[in-house]
Amino acid sequence: QVQLVESGGGLVQAGGSLRLSCAASGDIFSIGAMGWFRQAPGKQRELVATIARGSTTTYADSVKGRFTISRDNGQNTVYLQMNNLKPEDTAVYYCNAQIQNALGYVRDYWGQGTQVTVSS
């Protein structure tokens, strides 16, 4: 099986920075697109950023200019650098990856989520 393990969340004051990491391991033949989503209490999960294997990126309007998504294909890892954090960024952040195993089976996998809390 495949596991995505996230790290880097925590408590930070407004204006601060955090760097999230998500490493995939297990039966991995290749990884396609990867991304970060977040879910705040009482709200739906929303897309934060995506990155294709060729490193084309997309961002939610709310994080453009502040967040940067990147990936290390050799390490099967995706990162989210979050700068100038705001209280409205407070949420559980989940990584997502489209993974093909050795048998050719492709599916989306999700990390366990990491809490990001931004204080005023």
Side-chain angles (χ1 to χ4, degrees):
Q1 267 311 118
V2 172
Q3 184 178 26
L4 271 58
V5 178
E6 301 165 345
S7 62
L11 175 64
V12 65
Q13 292 185 345
S17 298
L18 287 172
R19 181 177 172 86
L20 306 183
S21 299
C22 175
S25 62
D27 182 14
I28 300 172
F29 179 76
S30 65
I31 302 178
M34 307 180 82
W36 290 93
F37 295 73
R38 67 186 182 187
Q39 188 166 22
K43 299 183 65 177
Q44 291 187 327
R45 186 173 299 186
E46 65 175 346
L47 177 69
V48 176
T50 66
I51 182 167
R53 183 168 182 86
S55 295
T56 300
T57 60
T58 65
Y59 296 92
D61 288 341
S62 59
V63 307
K64 286 181 180 177
R66 299 188 298 120
F67 291 10
T68 302
I69 188 171
S70 61
R71 63 191 289 168
D72 184 337
N73 291 330
Q75 296 294 319
N76 293 331
T77 300
V78 62
Y79 305 93
L80 186 68
Q81 178 67 46
M82 304 184 294
N83 298 326
N84 191 24
L85 283 160
K86 303 176 180 180
E88 51 263 42
D89 295 319
T90 295
V92 177
Y93 284 70
Y94 299 89
C95 68
N96 172 269
Q98 189 173 66
I99 297 177
Q100 180 181 15
N101 67 13
L103 296 178
Y105 175 64
V106 180
R107 62 159 285 182
D108 286 337
Y109 290 88
W110 292 89
Q112 79 282 2
T114 184
Q115 177 70 48
V116 172
T117 302
V118 184
S119 62
S120 301

